[in-house]
Amino acid sequence: MPANKNAFIRYKYLDELLSDRHHYYDIHDLTERCNEKLISNAYEEVGQRTIEKDIHFLEDAPICAEIERFRKNGKSCIRYAKKGFSIFSQELSQEERLLLREVLATLGQFEGLDHFTWLDNFKIGLGIDDEKKIISFSNNHYLKNSSFLGQLFDMISNEQVIELEYYKFAEEGTHKVIVYPYQLKQYNDRWYLLCAPEDNTELILNFALDRLVSATPLPERKYISCKIDLEERFEDIVGVTLNVGKPVQKILLWASDHEWPYIDTKPLHPSQISIRGDQENDLRSEYNLSSGHFFTIECIENFELIRLLCSFGSGLLVLSPHNIKDAVTRRLNEMQDAYGKLNR
């Protein structure tokens, strides 16, 4: 499609960029970002001169968009002067309002996002009254630094590079790192930020929010999107810790008759498979276990896996492989030693 025939498409993309209050764009950035969107949607890219003309068109009648130009960190930045302005802004239809009311009524029942004051204001503006809670989600009200959830949500959704200041439990002092934030993930009533360091986008790090000191946006830096399928990343692990280089292992487990109903209805891992028939009979004979249930999971060893396996006490036994069995045994022996010293 010729450049002069996709002007409306360019105006739409430029409108999104000019209304962005989370980044600082100069004319080169606007041209580059607009061309990225054009190419990804099978349109021809355009030159900087075309983008300059488009911006002047938006400023002229009949649109008359008020555009400001200012310098920031040595860049000649361009954006809409009025926050929230868009040339495509319009009233919601009745159907859209009704649908949005239902979505917000559900979203408003999620706890842990108390700092989203705009959500309450939005609900009031749409005439959404407080409804009784129908679904209650597990939430740790005393979780340290839960206020970071809203800040990081905003930074991820607006694709901002950020500088994290954090501390490690085993060390004194704090550390700083510049990262590309990708996802917030909850595990065991704790929230984690999944991100990549600026110097290695192939490496995915996770930071517990309770260990963060600050998260500072760096709008002058270019954001690089995640190149890794984060959902696939977590398929082979329990929790959030991926030990790079460790293999996926098939783990043979036995659960007592008392524990099995809980494990059967809430699997330890999505790969969980029960063992029945002749194989079950062979295992009973091999391990001298006349009761209980045998099953397998396939995942990578990490701290969270060992802690989960230990949590069932004598109601869950690791039969193989030896490295997982030994790790569980060591942890249980340490616990026994600690209690032994306490009772002396």
Side-chain angles (χ1 to χ4, degrees):
M1 181 181 290
N4 62 340
K5 290 189 178 181
N6 64 14
F8 181 81
I9 301 297
R10 297 198 308 274
Y11 298 154
K12 179 179 181 299
Y13 296 154
L14 278 174
D15 182 70
E16 296 173 1
L17 296 170
L18 293 171
S19 62
D20 185 348
R21 311 300 280 198
H22 297 86
H23 301 85
Y24 298 124
Y25 297 127
D26 61 14
I27 188 63
H28 306 291
D29 298 324
L30 292 172
T31 303
E32 181 182 356
R33 296 296 292 271
C34 191
N35 277 327
E36 287 175 357
K37 290 177 175 288
L38 287 170
I39 293 171
S40 66
N41 288 282
Y43 295 107
E44 292 183 6
E45 61 181 318
V46 296
Q48 181 176 311
R49 182 59 182 156
T50 298
I51 298 300
E52 290 174 343
K53 289 181 178 180
D54 289 343
I55 293 174
H56 288 307
F57 176 81
L58 297 178
E59 290 181 290
D60 292 339
I63 297 177
C64 299
E66 186 179 350
I67 295 176
E68 64 177 354
R69 293 165 175 81
F70 60 96
R71 294 194 67 80
K72 186 72 175 181
N73 298 327
K75 297 175 66 174
S76 300
C77 303
I78 309 170
R79 69 183 182 190
Y80 287 140
K82 184 178 180 181
K83 184 178 181 180
F85 176 82
S86 170
I87 63 174
F88 295 100
S89 60
Q90 61 181 12
E91 291 287 331
L92 290 172
S93 68
Q94 182 62 20
E95 287 185 353
E96 290 170 333
R97 286 175 62 87
L98 291 174
L99 178 60
L100 194 53
R101 284 182 62 177
E102 291 302 316
V103 172
L104 289 178
T106 300
L107 181 60
Q109 295 184 65
F110 283 78
E111 299 177 355
L113 301 177
D114 297 335
H115 49 277
F116 278 62
T117 54
W118 60 266
L119 180 59
D120 291 331
N121 295 332
F122 201 12
K123 289 169 64 179
I124 293 172
L126 291 172
I128 301 175
D129 297 325
D130 290 335
E131 301 286 346
K132 66 178 181 180
K133 185 175 292 186
I134 298 174
I135 301 176
S136 177
F137 291 88
S138 175
N139 180 49
N140 183 357
H141 295 282
Y142 304 102
L143 180 65
K144 183 181 177 182
N145 288 347
S146 61
S147 60
F148 274 119
L149 268 176
Q151 298 175 37
L152 293 171
F153 178 93
D154 185 64
M155 293 168 182
I156 294 171
S157 61
N158 288 288
E159 298 187 337
Q160 285 187 294
V161 182
I162 60 177
E163 181 182 66
L164 293 179
E165 183 178 3
Y166 66 98
Y167 68 93
K168 297 180 179 180
F169 288 143
E171 299 179 9
E172 294 184 1
T174 62
H175 305 266
K176 290 185 177 181
V177 61
I178 296 175
V179 301
Y180 305 112
Y182 295 140
Q183 191 177 94
L184 290 164
K185 185 175 181 65
Q186 187 186 42
Y187 174 72
N188 197 27
D189 281 341
R190 174 174 283 172
W191 284 94
Y192 297 85
L193 171 67
L194 306 182
C195 55
E198 190 180 37
D199 58 354
N200 185 1
T201 56
E202 299 297 324
L203 175 64
I204 298 298
L205 305 176
N206 69 74
F207 292 91
L209 267 58
D210 56 321
R211 299 186 195 178
L212 296 186
V213 176
S214 65
T216 306
L218 303 174
E220 69 278 6
R221 294 179 182 260
K222 184 177 179 180
Y223 182 90
I224 297 179
S225 300
C226 187
K227 298 180 175 64
I228 299 171
D229 187 335
L230 293 178
E231 297 303 318
E232 182 178 338
R233 169 190 169 87
F234 288 97
E235 286 182 356
D236 297 326
I237 63 173
V238 171
V240 297
T241 305
L242 176 61
N243 294 320
V244 178
K246 283 196 173 184
V248 175
Q249 293 183 285
K250 188 171 185 177
I251 304 170
L252 176 61
L253 302 158
W254 172 90
S256 67
D257 290 327
H258 179 267
E259 295 292 348
W260 176 245
Y262 300 97
I263 296 174
D264 184 36
T265 54
K266 186 186 177 185
L268 306 184
H269 187 263
S271 62
Q272 182 169 307
I273 298 176
S274 297
I275 297 176
R276 305 293 186 191
D278 292 341
Q279 187 179 2
E280 178 185 11
N281 294 331
D282 292 341
L283 289 172
R284 292 197 185 283
S285 176
E286 179 180 355
Y287 291 101
N288 194 28
L289 292 167
S290 58
S291 62
H293 298 260
F294 296 90
F295 64 102
T296 62
I297 58 174
E298 295 187 31
C299 53
I300 298 172
E301 179 187 357
N302 62 9
F303 172 79
E304 294 98 315
L305 172 65
I306 302 305
R307 182 172 58 182
L308 175 63
L309 296 177
C310 290
S311 68
F312 291 92
S314 61
L316 179 69
L317 300 179
V318 179
L319 304 180
S320 67
H322 287 297
N323 64 301
I324 304 295
K325 181 179 179 180
D326 291 345
V328 171
T329 302
R330 280 194 303 271
R331 188 176 178 106
L332 293 176
N333 286 338
E334 290 169 359
M335 183 183 297
Q336 185 178 24
D337 291 343
Y339 273 105
K341 294 176 182 178
L342 183 67
N343 294 329
R344 287 173 186 167

